[in-house]
Amino acid sequence: MNTVAQAKAPQEVSFETYADMNQSVSKLINQGRIRLDDKSVAIFENYGKPEAATYIVGSTAINRSEAVRELGTNINNADWLRYIAARLVLSLGAGNHKVDLSLIATSDSIALLTGDQWSNEPAEQTLTKLQDHISAIYFATEYTTDQPKKCSVELSSLKIISELDAVTAIIPSEIRKAILVQCGHGDTQMTLVQNGDNGGIYKRQNGLIAPFNTIGQILKDDHGISKNDLMRGWNTNLVEIDSIGTNQMLNIEELKHARIKTHYERTLGCAGTRSR
């Protein structure tokens, strides 16, 4: 029989979420005992109901072949909401919490979340969907078979801020003019900041996903390596060649460097130039 402790009054807290938490999500289809690293969470949705499902969020999900990594910011994407929930429980833990929350979103997602490109206030749909999703989060942080803990989050307020505006705001005031380049997995955003203001003008190009996909296609054509295998070996530069059954490892460091260099030279318009 599952029991839940009597709820206490929400406590207002000040916190920062895990900024370097991996954004990969994997649905646990074959139930088993999986060890979670310190930057991963198991989320138990519809806990105690027939439609219950378990999701792993974070770097542990990368090691599962069905893992996906969500790109951009979309309130209608369930995996993006799971990622927010995972960051909250890693920061807040079990219990009842009342928070002022700011979400940093891609510049092109602001209108989707607020209804107005120039607003920081969430649209009613955004606020309702997010609050419903985080009002009762059942989770585990050690093993996927652990008894779930419960984290309940109540939003005192919610602000939506673009990535470029968030970074612009922390540029020291003595810097009068700067070119801001933000390189991410999904996109690369660029803007000119003058006297602490970017004017809401920016340029957006493909991010690291572009050379990743190019490298993935090359490895698939030459060695039969899947993109999931590439993702697992991306940080170490060693990818397993499992198509021939010898457990050989392929070093992709040189290929990675060349493709990433070419991509960002084109994206930033600096091909043929030299840095001092």
Side-chain angles (χ1 to χ4, degrees):
M1 179 177 179
N2 297 320
T3 60
V4 178
Q6 184 176 0
K8 297 180 180 179
Q11 300 295 312
E12 295 200 20
V13 294
S14 175
F15 69 99
E16 293 182 2
T17 65
Y18 282 52
D20 58 346
M21 183 180 184
N22 188 280
Q23 212 164 331
S24 295
V25 180
S26 173
K27 184 176 182 180
L28 190 57
I29 298 174
N30 298 317
Q31 299 294 325
R33 191 171 190 258
I34 297 174
R35 179 74 168 91
L36 302 164
D37 63 33
D38 60 357
K39 293 179 182 176
S40 297
V41 179
I43 300 290
F44 305 98
E45 291 190 359
N46 298 308
Y47 179 62
K49 300 179 181 178
E51 62 271 26
T54 302
Y55 294 85
I56 299 174
V57 185
S59 50
T60 300
I62 297 177
N63 296 321
R64 303 186 59 78
S65 60
E66 66 272 25
V68 296
R69 186 193 186 283
E70 295 309 316
L71 305 178
T73 313
N74 189 340
I75 197 66
N76 296 312
N77 188 317
D79 280 340
W80 185 67
L81 292 172
R82 292 176 185 121
Y83 175 64
I84 295 174
R87 289 184 65 164
L88 287 172
V89 299
L90 278 184
S91 303
L92 299 172
N96 300 283
H97 312 280
K98 189 173 184 179
V99 302
D100 294 319
L101 188 64
S102 295
L103 288 181
I104 309 299
T106 54
S107 299
D108 64 314
S109 301
I110 297 298
L112 173 66
L113 296 170
T114 67
D116 182 349
Q117 180 65 34
W118 307 105
S119 176
N120 297 120
E121 300 297 329
E124 183 176 350
Q125 179 195 33
T126 299
L127 184 60
T128 300
K129 278 199 170 186
L130 181 58
Q131 181 62 81
D132 287 348
H133 197 83
I134 64 177
S135 60
I137 309 167
Y138 292 91
F139 71 98
T141 55
E142 294 187 6
Y143 290 93
T144 55
T145 53
D146 287 349
Q147 179 70 20
K149 300 175 183 177
K150 183 181 179 182
C151 173
S152 297
V153 182
E154 178 185 341
L155 295 175
S156 295
S157 68
L158 176 64
K159 299 293 182 183
I160 310 294
I161 306 170
S162 79
E163 292 171 331
L164 289 179
D165 286 345
V167 178
T168 297
I170 63 173
I171 293 177
S173 59
E174 57 266 26
I175 298 178
R176 306 300 296 275
K177 184 180 290 189
I179 296 175
L180 176 58
V181 181
Q182 187 160 309
C183 302
H185 181 87
D187 63 13
T188 301
Q189 300 179 64
M190 295 162 278
T191 189
L192 175 64
V193 179
Q194 299 186 77
N195 299 319
D197 185 11
N198 60 38
I201 300 172
Y202 67 96
K203 179 181 180 182
R204 186 169 182 258
Q205 300 285 343
N206 284 330
L208 191 61
I209 188 64
F212 176 88
N213 284 338
T214 300
I215 295 167
Q217 190 62 52
I218 292 172
L219 296 181
K220 179 181 179 182
D221 293 342
D222 293 352
H223 303 285
I225 295 173
S226 70
K227 285 187 178 179
N228 282 324
D229 289 333
L230 172 59
M231 181 181 291
R232 283 192 285 271
W234 184 261
N235 291 333
T236 63
N237 293 321
L238 295 174
V239 180
E240 185 175 358
I241 307 176
D242 56 6
S243 60
I244 57 178
T246 59
N247 294 322
Q248 279 186 288
M249 303 301 289
L250 177 68
N251 191 312
I252 62 169
E253 183 175 6
E254 186 175 339
L255 176 62
K256 265 178 61 176
H257 182 271
R259 292 295 173 172
I260 291 173
K261 181 175 182 290
T262 298
H263 170 71
Y264 282 110
E265 282 180 344
R266 292 173 178 171
T267 299
L268 303 177
C270 58
T273 64
R274 292 183 179 178
S275 58
R276 297 182 180 180

